[in-house]
């Protein structure tokens, strides 16, 4: 794994060393745990870096029509390094998702996600950000290979840099065709 930036000298290679397990607690509940470390080797001469990496998930079938999933991740995050003059970005993400099937054709979903990011910036004050999202969606199966969907998202960003704070409402509709 790696990244190749066009406008900044942040290219790197990434290697993971992870151990994990999947466990079915019963017919309704299953979980996953992966833990280890990630190494980044930078092409610009910055010192190689190791960070802990952790991923967990719990998935529960409440009923035949209702599922809940709780998914968490901690470790390096890509993106926005150049725009924030950062050498690395560590993040924690936690999502809780609920889906419900009204019938064979109509399914709804609801999700909440919490993101916390810390940007390490040499020569500058480190930057911390928290983003919260709420998603509501509905999916209708028109044919066996065609789905229609609609979605609403609310996103709130709070940052140490006040110029990065925002609240966003997003509405979308679409069609998915599988061949």
């Amino acid at each position: 794994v790696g990244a190749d930036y066009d406008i900044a000298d942040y290219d790197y290679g990434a290697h993971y060393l992870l151990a994990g397990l999947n466990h079915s607690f019963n017919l309704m509940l299953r979980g996953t745990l992966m833990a280890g470390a990630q190494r980044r080797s930078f092409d610009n001469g910055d010192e190689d870096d190791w960070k802990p990496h952790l991923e967990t998930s719990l998935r529960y079938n409440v009923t035949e029509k209702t599922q809940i999933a709780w998914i968490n991740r901690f470790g390096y995050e890509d993106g926005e390094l150049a725009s924030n003059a950062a050498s690395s970005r560590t993040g924690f993400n936690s999502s809780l998702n609920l889906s419900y099937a009204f019938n064979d054709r109509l399914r709804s979903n609801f999700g909440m996600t919490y993101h916390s990011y810390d940007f390490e910036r040499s020569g500058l004050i480190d930057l911390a950000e928290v983003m919260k999202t709420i998603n509501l969606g509905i999916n209708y199966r028109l044919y066996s290979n065609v789905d229609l969907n609609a979605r609403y998202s609310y996103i709130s960003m709070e940052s140490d840099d006040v110029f990065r704070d925002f609240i966003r409402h997003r509405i979308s509709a679409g069609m998915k065709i599988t061949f």
Side-chain angles (χ1 to χ4, degrees), residues 122-179:
S122 58
L124 297 170
I125 297 171
D126 289 349
L127 178 66
E129 295 181 334
V130 171
M131 184 168 27
K132 300 168 195 154
T133 62
I134 296 174
N135 298 300
L136 298 166
I138 195 156
N139 189 75
Y140 180 75
R141 168 98 1 125
L142 191 59
Y143 300 108
S144 63
N145 66 332
V146 179
D147 290 341
L148 302 175
N149 57 65
R151 181 176 172 172
Y152 167 76
S153 296
Y154 168 85
I155 305 168
S156 168
M157 167 77 90
E158 299 168 10
S159 175
D160 290 345
D161 180 350
V162 295
F163 295 108
R164 291 179 52 84
D165 288 356
F166 66 84
I167 292 177
R168 179 178 300 147
H169 300 269
R170 185 174 286 167
I171 297 172
S172 62
M175 178 172 34
K176 176 183 171 186
I177 301 173
T178 306
F179 296 98

Side-chain angles (χ1 to χ4, degrees), residues 10 79-86 119 121 124 127 129 161 164:
Y10 287 105
E80 298 191 82
L81 294 177
S83 63
N84 287 299
F119 293 89
R121 307 186 314 171
L124 297 170
L127 178 66
E129 295 181 334
D161 180 350
R164 291 179 52 84

